[in-house]
Amino acid sequence: MADSFDVVVIGGGPGGYNAAIRAGQLGLKAACIDKRGSFGGTCLNIGCIPSKALLHASERFEEAQKEFPKLGIKATVELDLAAMMGHKTKVVGELTRGVEFLLKKNKAEAIVGEARIASPGKVVVTHNGTTRELEAKHIIIATGSDVAPLPGVTVDEQQIVSSTGALSLTTVPKRMLVVGGGYIGLELGSVWRRLGADVLVVEFLDRITPGLDGEIGKGFQRILQKQGMKFMLSTKVTGVAKNGDVLRVNVEGANGEKQTIETDIMLVSIGRKPFTDNLGLADAGVTLDPRGRIVTDAHFATNVAGIWAIGDCREGAMLAHKAEDEAVACVENIAGKAGHVNYNAIPAVVYTAPEVASVGKTEEELKAAGIAYKIGKFPFTANARAKTIAATDGFAKVIADAKTDQVLGIHILGANAGEMICEGALAIEFGAASEDIARTSHSHPTLSEAIRQASMAVEGWTMQS
């Protein structure tokens, strides 16, 4: 006999577990199914969390080597990669167990197994040869995304690795070739460069981080190059051959010029694709778009009554916090409330050193839309706090509507940008003007003063530069 639930969530990542938790909070009987056996999805297990643990540790390692002497600190530093990986594993374990605790606390059942929609309202879960049938008034698909493959290249997670393999290397490679100049490739490339690898990034487009504001992206690349990372833009990988412990990677430039590059490790990081395989979507009649994403309306409902989708498996940015926001909104809609997500106010962060953070519209997007705007910028070289902590690379940029002064976008290249961008998200959420930020007192000395000064610069009255 099938067990009955109000809401069954397929996928235990940030979208899935938050949906189940919110359902429990609203008094709905909920279950969350995850086939990995360790809840938290890609983010907690093999994505955001382990990468940030290694980014932090590797940044401290390089800081101790290169920056401590500038501050009058003498130290002898030695890398213990096994211990660094142990720190990463410990953090992942604590957080995944925390998710299981939160599900239990909010009376949502955590179910381990592979889920398939047998029909609208019915989910079959298989695990270790056993089968369990669930009946559900509502099914939420939150299966996330998977690594996008590079045509003609087989990832073995040993020499040719995805982000998963790059998080678990047992030795520091002498050379690493990163295919793709997006967030993930640059973050993981930064980790291994700091630990001693010679890192080359090969990007098909003529710029890195194509979703970022163009001016920010150019400044970001200059800083990464100054740190030692190398770039080949407008270049594609056409093939790779193994020669013992060495990889011979064939690349081709936009002008047709071909060459072969030798490397020890190749990281394939060209993006992600929605994970919708083996879910029974076709049998259930759920519509997918040409990119394999589940089609939903503005309230996250699919074309099949009672089936919903959130996170990476539907349209939009593939970000954990976007999935979390959609999870809450979707469940609230199911419960008869007014769930809503403001996509203009969802920030994005690259966790390199310095960090890059962005929220709202870029200059390129506003130009394409024909929207008149004005800009204010402020460099961290003129920020007192940045001076004191020797973190003067980068700048803050505020974009406002030319007529109304409403903040349309905030972009930061600098230390702690990922924390500071929340002020920009809040400003956009509340419909603030740049003058609102400019006339809001900011603690001194802080890095966040750069946002205030950039807001002042929108109207031309910057006080500190």
Side-chain angles (χ1 to χ4, degrees):
M1 182 176 178
D3 297 319
S4 296
F5 294 88
D6 295 312
V7 178
V8 168
V9 185
I10 302 176
Y17 73 73
N18 277 285
I21 288 170
R22 186 64 179 135
Q25 291 174 341
L26 294 175
L28 301 174
K29 185 180 180 182
C32 184
I33 308 166
D34 191 88
K35 68 178 182 179
R36 180 179 277 109
S38 176
F39 284 77
T42 294
C43 177
L44 265 66
N45 286 278
I46 54 172
C48 317
I49 299 307
S51 66
K52 276 46 178 185
L54 292 183
L55 280 159
H56 175 76
S58 63
E59 187 178 343
R60 298 287 81 77
F61 175 72
E62 185 174 58
E63 184 180 21
Q65 285 184 312
K66 299 180 179 179
E67 301 301 324
F68 276 15
K70 300 176 185 178
L71 302 176
I73 303 171
K74 294 182 179 181
T76 300
V77 182
E78 183 179 348
L79 174 64
D80 185 341
L81 184 58
M84 189 177 288
M85 291 295 176
H87 162 68
K88 175 205 69 173
T89 301
K90 178 175 180 289
V91 169
V92 168
E94 290 173 348
L95 288 174
T96 54
R97 289 191 296 273
V99 169
E100 294 170 12
F101 167 76
L102 289 172
L103 288 168
K104 184 177 181 180
K105 175 184 176 183
N106 289 282
K107 300 179 181 179
E109 184 177 352
I111 301 173
V112 176
E114 187 164 1
R116 189 177 187 278
I117 300 173
S119 62
K122 181 174 289 187
V123 177
V124 176
V125 184
T126 57
H127 180 61
N128 290 340
T130 64
T131 299
R132 180 180 177 186
E133 292 186 359
L134 310 178
E135 290 183 352
K137 296 177 183 176
H138 301 275
I139 299 169
I140 300 176
I141 303 169
T143 46
S145 59
D146 200 358
V147 175
L150 182 62
V153 174
T154 301
V155 171
D156 61 15
E157 301 297 13
Q158 299 296 321
Q159 288 177 279
I160 303 173
V161 301
S162 69
S163 55
T164 302
L167 288 167
S168 301
L169 298 178
T170 56
T171 59
V172 179
K174 292 182 178 179
R175 299 165 297 183
M176 172 179 278
L177 187 149
V178 178
V179 186
Y183 294 25
I184 298 172
L186 296 178
E187 288 182 357
L188 293 176
S190 292
V191 167
W192 294 105
R193 182 202 59 75
R194 292 172 193 154
L195 299 181
D198 183 16
V199 176
L200 169 65
V201 178
V202 176
E203 168 57 48
F204 179 73
L205 300 176
D206 62 357
R207 55 167 294 187
I208 64 170
T209 55
L212 289 179
D213 182 87
E215 185 179 17
I216 290 283
K218 290 178 182 177
F220 183 32
Q221 184 178 337
R222 285 194 295 269
I223 291 172
L224 292 178
Q225 287 174 323
K226 186 173 66 173
Q227 293 174 349
M229 194 174 288
K230 302 180 182 70
F231 293 90
M232 292 181 67
L233 305 181
S234 301
T235 303
K236 63 180 179 180
V237 172
T238 58
V240 59
K242 294 184 180 181
N243 184 13
D245 293 334
V246 175
L247 298 173
R248 294 175 58 82
V249 184
N250 299 320
V251 301
E252 182 178 335
N255 59 1
E257 181 182 356
K258 300 178 181 180
Q259 60 178 300
T260 300
I261 301 169
E262 291 191 347
T263 190
D264 303 301
I265 295 291
M266 185 170 85
L267 165 59
V268 178
S269 182
I270 59 171
R272 300 185 65 82
K273 62 176 184 176
F275 186 86
T276 54
D277 297 339
N278 303 317
L279 295 177
L281 299 182
D283 292 340
V286 175
T287 300
L288 304 181
D289 70 11
R291 295 172 59 181
R293 301 175 300 187
I294 298 172
V295 176
T296 72
D297 63 15
H299 304 291
F300 316 105
T302 70
N303 62 303
V304 179
I307 299 180
W308 313 70
I310 59 172
D312 288 5
C313 66
R314 67 178 296 276
E315 68 175 328
M318 291 183 171
L319 298 168
H321 47 284
K322 177 251 195 186
E324 291 177 352
D325 292 348
E326 290 181 344
V328 171
C330 179
V331 172
E332 288 178 347
N333 289 332
I334 288 172
K337 298 180 178 292
H340 172 70
V341 176
N342 180 358
Y343 290 99
N344 283 328
I346 294 180
V349 183
V350 189
Y351 293 90
T352 47
E355 293 179 346
V356 185
S358 175
V359 66
K361 302 297 184 183
T362 66
E363 275 201 74
E364 291 75 18
E365 289 173 328
L366 294 172
K367 286 177 181 176
I371 298 173
Y373 61 90
K374 48 191 177 179
I375 295 173
K377 293 184 287 186
F378 189 80
F380 283 103
T381 52
N383 177 270
R385 178 65 171 165
K387 288 279 190 183
T388 63
I389 64 173
T392 56
D393 282 334
F395 61 97
K397 178 177 182 177
V398 175
I399 307 176
D401 187 280
K403 294 181 180 179
T404 67
D405 193 38
Q406 183 175 353
V407 175
L408 301 176
I410 293 183
H411 311 278
I412 309 169
L413 168 60
N416 293 356
E419 303 293 339
M420 292 189 289
I421 200 63
C422 297
E423 178 175 2
L426 192 62
I428 291 175
E429 184 67 39
F430 286 172
S434 72
E435 185 179 3
D436 292 324
I437 300 176
R439 295 189 182 276
T440 298
S441 183
H442 287 58
S443 303
H444 175 76
T446 58
L447 295 170
S448 65
E449 287 180 283
I451 302 174
R452 185 186 191 190
Q453 292 293 322
S455 298
M456 291 177 176
V458 170
E459 294 295 342
W461 59 288
T462 301
M463 305 294 287
Q464 296 178 5
S465 70

